[in-house]
Amino acid sequence: MSNTAVWKSVLGEIEIGLSQAVFQTWFKNTHISNYSEKRTEIAVANIFTKNQLEHKFKKQIIELLTKHGLETSEVIFTIDTSKLSAPSKQARPFVKEKKGTVITKPKLSTPNNTSGLNPKYTFDNYIVGSSNELAYAACLASASDPGNKYNPLFIYGGVGLGKTHLMQAVGNKVVSENPNMKILYISSESFIREFVKSIRNKKAFGDVYRTADVLIIDDIQFIGSAEKTQEEFFHTFNQLHQHNKQIIMSCDKQPKSIPGLTERLQSRFEWGMTIDIQQPDYETRCAILQAKASSSGFELPQDTTEYLAANIQTNIRELEGSLNQLIAFCEIRSLSPTLETAKALLANVRVRPKHISVRDVVTKVAKHFDIQEADIKGPKRDKSIVIPRQVAMYLLRSELHLSFPKIAKELGRKDHTTAMHSVEKIEKSLYTDNLVRQNVNEIKDILYA
Ligand code: ADP
Ligand code: MG
């Protein structure tokens, strides 16, 4: 057997144990580049793949190579960019796909049995890493056998980490495999709105939802503030669950932390499978950037990928946003994306074009923590006030670049060392305390929304 054929057999076996997305992410564009004296060299496209294969697959690869006739005691992974499959590599370092290129889209189902699905979100274009692999696996399992695996499936995690994408992927997969099933995707805000409207118009509510085969409710946390809607949803939930209809929900927190959620709903949310999505690690961030760039027809140099991944850590939406900015910037000027361009752009992003005032920060912080604005500037020392106050100081420093004396003055503190200590404390907490980090990120999202 030739080396190519051996590698094909090895890949065939590896593929069986992995999801298509994971397999594609790590094994696309790999081949055996050299073999001598039980040493097999495998060429991979980039450093991230190399790291991943070394960490997670090396042993299995050695075993399988040997099994398929290439006796191997050592595997070396080398980086070979010549095998990249970016569409227009030979023409220029990067060229966006020409207008008029036919892009095959997932087939849309008939509109009457689905609602709210966006075909752009699929399992195939979801990058899997340690931060989201459980959620991914659970969603895939639900999509393959709706109603019978994990019911309900409850996915929670911070903003921009891929919850909506995953749930939409479930809907799209179910529809493509079961064209007769009724799939409904709705945000809990719309759900509440529809419910209120139905009361106003004295119309029956719920029938639409109770006849779904798969009901997907996004950002369920908002339901906590709507008492009557909760009651309605309780009945819908029971009805669907009793008939083995799949319910999938996303949330920014675990069921027990949703303010205002009734106990009976909380316990139902926890009946099936509750899984969190965490912030992506560095390797996953790199893989996401590379995948997104190449799907737009761009090749992102390794140093640029690393720079973006190292500097945008918390949120995939932001990661995607920066990449899109870079692509747009380069496209308009017919430039290749380089580290310098990325740095310059990111510096700009950091300065943030939108003007934010001290008032904005105080208002948004107070609202987020559900306390009075006056308390942030006031004398109270309770923990429930002190932490928001420290977060406000931190944001005044990090986003508005105010001096410590100015921060102290704005927030009614006599002494600027208080501001200094508060900012330092939050800076440290960002690394050690998930909750603080999540709060700060959410407030930033709101500030720049
Ligand atoms: P959330 O609902 O958790 O706030 P989204 O699902 O809206 O986050 O994700 C934000 C953006 O990031 C979307 O454009 C989504 O496609 C993208 N994204 C998130 N996670 C991934 C991933 N693992 N692979 C590819 N794209 C992702
Ligand atoms: Mg979402």
Side-chain angles (χ1 to χ4, degrees):
M1 237 197 304
S2 71
N3 288 352
T4 313
V6 169
W7 188 235
K8 214 170 154 192
S9 314
V10 169
L11 290 185
E13 287 208 33
I14 293 176
E15 191 175 3
I16 295 170
L18 297 176
S19 73
Q20 195 52 31
V22 176
F23 180 75
Q24 284 295 330
T25 306
W26 302 121
F27 290 95
K28 190 178 60 179
N29 300 321
T30 57
H31 66 276
I32 294 177
S33 53
N34 209 343
Y35 173 78
S36 70
E37 296 173 0
K38 297 191 186 174
R39 201 178 105 135
T40 307
E41 256 182 57
I42 295 170
V44 302
N46 55 53
I47 181 79
F48 322 113
T49 312
K50 177 173 147 82
N51 287 344
Q52 184 74 3
L53 295 189
E54 259 164 11
H55 282 123
K56 288 212 170 149
F57 295 97
K58 193 167 180 167
K59 200 163 149 247
Q60 188 188 8
I61 289 173
I62 292 178
E63 280 168 19
L64 287 173
L65 282 168
T66 306
K67 178 178 162 191
H68 288 282
L70 207 62
E71 203 187 332
T72 299
S73 57
E74 194 187 356
V75 164
I76 313 268
F77 298 97
T78 54
I79 296 167
D80 169 17
T81 48
S82 67
K83 285 280 184 276
L84 278 178
S85 66
S88 37
K89 160 159 213 340
Q90 50 301 37
R92 278 201 282 150
F94 75 100
V95 179
K96 185 121 169 54
E97 270 178 64
K98 287 196 184 64
K99 282 210 177 76
T101 310
V102 180
I103 298 169
T104 47
K105 286 202 176 133
K107 241 194 352 225
L108 275 170
S109 58
T110 45
N112 11 349
N113 68 335
T114 69
S115 150
L117 290 184
N118 181 340
K120 83 170 187 185
Y121 295 119
T122 65
F123 285 113
D124 282 343
N125 60 19
Y126 193 80
I127 305 295
V128 185
S130 54
S131 56
N132 59 17
E133 62 190 354
L134 284 180
Y136 173 87
C139 282
L140 196 61
S142 287
S144 311
D145 190 5
N148 298 316
K149 264 270 153 50
Y150 310 117
N151 206 14
L153 180 55
F154 189 97
I155 309 280
Y156 71 96
V159 284
L161 296 183
K163 302 183 295 296
T164 297
H165 187 135
L166 260 189
M167 296 202 301
Q168 286 266 348
V170 174
N172 284 320
K173 184 170 159 73
V174 173
V175 163
S176 71
E177 288 168 9
N178 313 272
N180 295 324
M181 279 195 177
K182 180 169 162 185
I183 327 281
L184 293 181
Y185 166 95
I186 188 167
S187 69
S188 77
E189 285 164 302
S190 307
F191 190 79
I192 296 168
R193 236 187 344 263
E194 293 284 312
F195 178 65
V196 172
K197 208 161 78 189
S198 77
I199 297 180
R200 210 171 36 231
N201 302 338
K202 299 200 173 56
K203 283 224 178 88
F205 180 76
D207 288 355
V208 182
Y209 302 99
R210 285 180 211 177
T211 53
D213 292 297
V214 178
L215 178 62
I216 304 172
I217 302 208
D218 209 348
D219 292 319
I220 193 84
Q221 67 270 13
F222 296 114
I223 212 168
S225 57
E227 202 181 316
K228 285 268 160 27
T229 313
Q230 285 199 54
E231 197 166 324
E232 175 62 36
F233 185 57
F234 178 74
H235 297 298
T236 305
F237 185 104
N238 289 341
Q239 172 91 8
L240 291 173
H241 198 269
Q242 271 160 20
H243 291 88
N244 287 339
K245 304 299 185 186
Q246 180 72 49
I247 302 161
I248 308 177
M249 293 169 278
S250 81
C251 191
D252 64 353
K253 40 180 93 63
Q254 338 178 22
K256 68 166 192 253
S257 311
I258 302 176
L261 187 70
T262 59
E263 232 165 78
R264 58 185 194 171
L265 266 184
Q266 182 196 318
S267 86
R268 273 165 182 74
F269 288 0
E270 289 164 345
W271 268 355
M273 173 80 107
T274 306
I275 304 179
D276 69 329
I277 297 190
Q278 311 220 323
Q279 287 177 359
D281 57 23
Y282 176 69
E283 269 78 24
T284 312
R285 296 199 299 276
C286 290
I288 289 174
L289 284 166
Q290 297 243 319
K292 301 245 174 211
S294 103
S295 79
S296 312
F298 285 85
E299 248 178 60
L300 203 57
Q302 201 167 301
D303 56 357
T304 316
T305 310
E306 286 175 1
Y307 176 78
L308 289 177
N311 282 284
I312 304 169
Q313 302 183 349
T314 47
N315 178 324
I316 297 173
R317 189 173 296 137
E318 218 176 297
L319 200 62
E320 219 180 5
S322 304
L323 176 66
N324 288 339
Q325 267 201 326
L326 179 65
I327 289 179
F329 183 88
C330 292
E331 205 176 24
I332 291 167
R333 293 165 182 77
S334 291
L335 296 169
S336 299
T338 60
L339 184 57
E340 279 63 45
T341 326
K343 277 186 178 166
L345 270 180
L346 215 61
N348 254 332
V349 173
R350 285 279 159 76
V351 175
R352 311 256 192 181
K354 187 172 160 183
H355 182 70
I356 289 170
S357 67
V358 174
R359 181 88 213 282
D360 292 333
V361 171
V362 174
T363 318
K364 300 294 191 295
V365 169
K367 181 145 187 260
H368 183 81
F369 288 102
D370 202 12
I371 59 171
Q372 298 298 320
E373 281 181 49
D375 282 339
I376 291 192
K377 300 182 179 181
K380 283 191 192 157
R381 301 283 316 150
D382 332 17
K383 203 174 165 206
S384 64
I385 306 287
V386 170
I387 291 180
R389 188 183 292 140
Q390 289 172 336
V391 167
M393 291 187 179
Y394 166 80
L395 290 170
L396 290 178
R397 181 78 182 165
S398 73
E399 307 307 297
L400 272 65
H401 311 291
L402 298 191
S403 68
F404 292 118
K406 175 98 173 120
I407 294 174
K409 186 159 169 267
E410 290 287 355
L411 296 193
R413 307 291 112 187
K414 286 196 202 82
D415 185 355
H416 77 276
T417 54
T418 318
M420 254 163 77
H421 291 142
S422 300
V423 172
E424 247 169 49
K425 177 156 179 268
I426 298 296
E427 271 169 355
K428 274 201 196 114
S429 304
L430 291 179
Y431 291 97
T432 55
D433 188 332
N434 281 334
L435 194 63
V436 170
R437 186 170 55 226
Q438 191 179 328
N439 278 321
V440 167
N441 285 335
E442 282 172 8
I443 298 169
K444 273 198 208 168
D445 273 349
I446 295 165
L447 276 173
Y448 292 107

